[in-house]
Amino acid sequence: MTNTSDTKANEAEGRRSFLPAFINLRDAGTLFGLALILIVFAVLNPVFMTAPNVLNILQQSSINACIALGMTFVIISGGIDLSVGPAAAISAVAGAALMTAGVPLPVALLGAMGTGMLCGLFNGCLIAFAGLQPFIVTLGGLSLYRALALIFTGGNPIFGIPTEFRAFINGDLLGVPVPVVIVGLIALLLWIVLNRTPFGEYILAVGGNQEAARIAGVPVARTRITVYVMSGGLAAVAALILMGRLGAADPTMGNLWELDAIAAAAIGGASLMGGKGSVVGTLLGAVILGSLRNGLTLMNVQAFYQLLATGIIIIVAMLIDRATRGRA
Amino acid sequence: MATDINRLAVDGISKGFPGVKALEDVSFQVRPGEVHGLLGENGAGKSTMLNVLAAVLKPDAGGIRIDGETVRPGSPKDARAAGIAMIHQELQHVPGLSVAQNIFLGRPLKMAGGLLVNRRAQETRARSILADLDPSIDPGRPIHELKVAQQQIVEIARALLDDAKIIAMDEPTSSLTPSEFDNLAALIRKLSAQGVSIIYVSHKMDEVFQVCQRATILRDGRFVATVDLTETSEDEVIASMVGREIQAEQHVSHAEAETVLRVEGLGDGRMIRDASFELHKGEVLGLAGLVGSGRTELMRLIAGIDRATEGSIEIRGSEHSFRSPREAISAGIGLVPEERKKDGIVRDRSVASNIALPCMNRFSSAGLIRRAHLRREATELMQQMNLRPPNVDRAIGQFSGGNQQKAIIGRWLAADVDILLFDEPTRGIDIGAKSEIYDLIERLAAQGKSIIVVSSELPEILRLSDRVMVMREGEIAGVLSGCDVDEGRIAALAIPKSKSRSSQRTAEPA
């Protein structure tokens, strides 16, 4: 029995060595799923695989990807962050209020980021110090931050976002939309954090076995709080991107973002039990969801059926995940 | 003749688990209305015996007879129907439900053609059973509001409802106060007068001698003797419990005079009281005691896992008060926990990652982990420790228990701690890896590490330790060194005795 598991593990290691270093076996599976979806749509619709549409998909996916990356870190640590949508909204509102008040743009951007991170800090402290469950704390945050955004704005969007900011977000770098570049750079940074820094190891250890990690000297509370701060900060980045595109900060922004983000992370291989997850996988997961929506829209499929397809994709992805993991 | 007078006859029961013979050809008899002790050290096979009686486990050979008739219960439910009831050490009830609901759990009194539960009838019936046992228990009260002693009585009521002929009690007094024990003893006498036979498992000799008429002693899964307690002394019983051949491994001491760790009056306000001892450089201090005597709890206090409420920990002359394991580690203390899966390993991470956790900074520069450096050092370390297979990139969960243990020990070597605490270091580890772990512990002592080994296996303690500290009921009962270290003396300190217990109580204020 040990022999067979040995050979399987060796096979897995062998196969891994054929792939680039930053993609593991699980990510290769996600990539395969994405390729399948792309091929199906490419056959069904000639417009789908054109360069403008591909950039369009990436741009549409970038906001969810940004949120989902933060969610991935939280999920790996063994938690969940349901408050990302409202945290995004309150960050957008704060940023817009600062911009319209004539505060220099960089300061306003930092203000927005700080607001999101503060939301995360609040979540994280309640979870790490008060010992409350992440699901409940961030469910509370979901209402709390939304309410604050609505109260602050009286429920009305804030217009008058500076044109230079809007131009920046809607611009491109060597043909690639700026939001895609931003999220790409963030993903690169986060990949390094997760795979190359002690903090990354701490997150994986805390999510894998919190008590063992504590006994091994991992700063558990600090690690757990930091992932929520990251999640809040990334929610703010997503909010700024959307704000730049819309030209307004809407306090109702980000409704149900948490669910898309969880879906992308889970499709990408993050385990809601904690201890597992991948930056590359989550990016691919976000692009899978984005491609699906884009492709179905191109084919004039009703929104109701798009929802149906999304649900099916998530469940199928999880079934495949379960079946393949059972072997390891 | 014997079959006529015996309520329960256990005939040649054997039960093996992979790698261990838990019970080998054990026979004993219990008379009607007798309170019969079942005694032995940890791992002697008492729990296995109870589980066989309650049909939780199926014996490999042998059988049981009740009132002379062979019974073969296939499930715990069958065993109850045959008249054998178990009162577990961990009481088994459903917290939210009432006393009566718990008593009738799984066999409710019904009404309306079996569709509805007749709560009133249940409560009336429960009240009439409890009236005999403890009239102060209200059958309508939620069970979790009762004291542990009362919850235990509810379990006994449940057993009586089944018309139990034999009630087996596993460590029934582990969470009772002395006066609660007196009530239980009175109740046991009452039951025995009614003809119910009781099998009483306990480590506490004074209780056994107070309550039981006879006792069967098990050692290493074998029957030693059934003794009449009115004709036997506590010491004789203890001697036959532990009288095992002492393994003749030559022990070499590396202890030096320098005191590395000094613990003074340490306590946690719950279990551990006034623990004081010293640990020297290169010394292996064995920590013996019964399960539940507070050994693990003491280790956790020293390793900063739980917070001490009183006392001090001094390492090489400087005093510490740890708020987290991280602080204890930076002061040079590492714990190899008993429950490796729960407290030791991060299953899905590689051996290298598991090793590096306490000392990530050592393996990083400019904030980034130097993976190649880490892999090289981990590989070197694990080669010395003979990790099999020797692949530090593999998830630690895919290794055997012994190899996981090597990695956890390697973690503290990489972190270069001076003081290593081993809690049951060879539990769940096969024989081969066991002696490797022993050799390793000796090698570490030779290198000047100071080591504490908690173990329930006396041969292990004797093989490894320079001195042996014995814990009893949350206190340090004594420290043995030199030629004073032997199984009898350790057992005498570990097992709560009526005499020593009362003498200690009076000694305390002095």
Side-chain angles (χ1 to χ4, degrees), chain B residues 432-502:
Chain B
K434 220 170 184 172
S435 68
E436 279 182 300
I437 304 265
Y438 292 159
D439 292 345
L440 188 63
I441 289 174
E442 276 165 359
R443 222 158 62 217
L444 292 173
Q447 287 165 19
K449 307 274 188 203
S450 305
I451 293 167
I452 300 179
V453 177
V454 173
S455 178
S456 294
E457 293 180 42
L458 282 182
E460 182 165 297
I461 292 262
L462 295 175
R463 148 116 201 233
L464 293 171
S465 315
D466 302 324
R467 291 184 302 148
V468 178
M469 182 158 83
V470 184
M471 287 193 75
R472 177 177 61 210
E473 297 181 325
E475 292 174 348
I476 293 173
V479 180
L480 302 169
S481 57
C483 46
D484 283 348
V485 179
D486 69 44
E487 298 206 6
R489 285 197 176 88
I490 293 173
L493 284 171
I495 297 171
K497 280 198 264 187
S498 36
K499 292 160 262 167
S500 60
R501 195 199 244 175
S502 52

Side-chain angles (χ1 to χ4, degrees), chain A residues 2 5-6 9-10 13 16 192-202 204-220 222 274-276 328, chain B residues 300 304-306 323-326 329 335 337 340-349 353-354 357-361 364 367-369 371 389 391 393-394 398 411-412:
Chain A
T2 44
S5 67
D6 275 9
N10 289 340
E13 278 151 22
R16 193 175 305 159
I192 292 170
V193 168
L194 185 61
N195 296 287
R196 288 287 179 270
T197 68
F199 175 63
E201 284 285 349
Y202 291 163
L204 287 156
V206 167
N209 186 344
Q210 186 172 318
E211 187 58 10
R214 192 171 78 90
I215 291 173
V218 171
V220 173
R222 198 208 303 165
K276 282 188 198 136
Chain B
R300 286 172 64 95
I305 299 166
D306 299 325
R323 282 166 302 171
S324 69
R326 196 174 172 76
I329 292 163
L335 172 78
R340 207 161 30 247
K341 281 211 172 70
K342 186 173 139 286
D343 296 333
I345 63 168
V346 183
R347 204 189 57 203
D348 293 325
R349 303 299 294 158
S353 288
N354 270 281
L357 271 187
C359 50
M360 276 296 171
N361 292 334
S364 318
L368 297 182
I369 301 170
R371 290 272 175 208
N391 180 358
D393 293 331
R394 213 172 138 183
Q398 296 180 359
R411 163 191 290 174
W412 298 124

Side-chain angles (χ1 to χ4, degrees), chain B residues 342-402:
Chain B
K342 186 173 139 286
D343 296 333
I345 63 168
V346 183
R347 204 189 57 203
D348 293 325
R349 303 299 294 158
S350 69
V351 166
S353 288
N354 270 281
I355 287 175
L357 271 187
C359 50
M360 276 296 171
N361 292 334
R362 248 198 72 206
F363 295 107
S364 318
S365 60
L368 297 182
I369 301 170
R370 294 154 69 205
R371 290 272 175 208
H373 171 63
L374 168 59
R375 179 176 301 134
R376 204 168 48 241
E377 282 222 4
T379 304
E380 211 170 285
L381 199 59
M382 287 296 104
Q383 258 166 10
Q384 288 169 23
M385 297 172 71
N386 196 16
L387 181 79
R388 286 179 308 258
N391 180 358
V392 297
D393 293 331
R394 213 172 138 183
I396 196 168
Q398 296 180 359
F399 286 86
S400 70

